[in-house]
Amino acid sequence: GEGKQVAFTGFLSQSETMSALRSANVFALLSRFDLYSQAVIEAMALGHAPIVSRSVGASEQVENGTSGYVVDDDAPYEVAQTLEAIAANVPEHRRMGERARIRAEGLRWSKVAKDYADLYKEVVRTERNVGA
């Protein structure tokens, strides 16, 4: 529609990327294969409820319908419906973005690393008790 646009920027520096993310209305990563995109978590941390394809590893961090949108792979009609739903209810999309931002706080590397370290300690402790 009039006044709406999509920008294909090409390569951006880190500061340019952050600026573009801050000013964007929607963040989508519709990759067919991506083990774990940090970009999804970064977008969430900036208050975006991302649209991600199911095959994106970070899709496991997006609570579909709560902190973002998980769509089937190769489903352009589903993506279009999601974009139309966002446009029809921007306040709800912003509320989802706030929930995404809160969720992203728990996904910081320092917290994730501590959680893994605690898990490994528990595994070692359990193994020692089983083998004793």
Side-chain angles (χ1 to χ4, degrees):
E2 192 173 316
K4 297 178 183 177
Q5 59 182 303
V6 174
F8 295 97
T9 63
F11 179 80
L12 297 174
S13 69
Q14 184 175 11
S15 64
E16 290 169 327
T17 299
M18 296 308 285
S19 177
L21 274 173
R22 282 188 187 94
S23 66
N25 293 317
V26 176
F27 174 88
L29 182 61
L30 304 171
S31 177
R32 292 182 184 178
F33 179 79
D34 197 325
L35 293 177
Y36 189 86
S37 174
Q38 188 63 26
V40 173
I41 307 307
E42 290 168 351
M44 291 171 67
L46 289 171
H48 287 289
I51 304 171
V52 297
S53 54
R54 201 164 303 286
S55 62
V56 173
S59 68
E60 294 178 11
Q61 304 303 334
V62 176
E63 298 164 303
N64 190 31
T66 301
S67 63
Y69 315 85
V70 180
V71 297
D72 289 328
D73 297 341
D74 298 318
Y77 182 73
E78 187 178 2
V79 173
Q81 286 182 313
T82 301
L83 289 169
E84 288 175 358
I86 291 168
N89 194 346
V90 173
E92 176 57 22
H93 179 63
R94 289 192 177 129
R95 283 188 290 276
M96 288 178 69
E98 179 57 21
R99 290 190 294 268
R101 188 193 61 72
I102 291 166
R103 181 150 175 76
E105 287 179 11
L107 300 172
R108 291 182 179 184
W109 281 118
S110 58
K111 179 167 183 347
V112 171
K114 182 186 177 315
D115 290 348
Y116 273 113
D118 291 345
L119 175 65
Y120 293 148
K121 288 175 187 174
E122 180 62 28
V123 167
V124 169
R125 189 173 22 257
T126 301
E127 182 62 28
R128 285 182 180 157
N129 289 335
V130 170

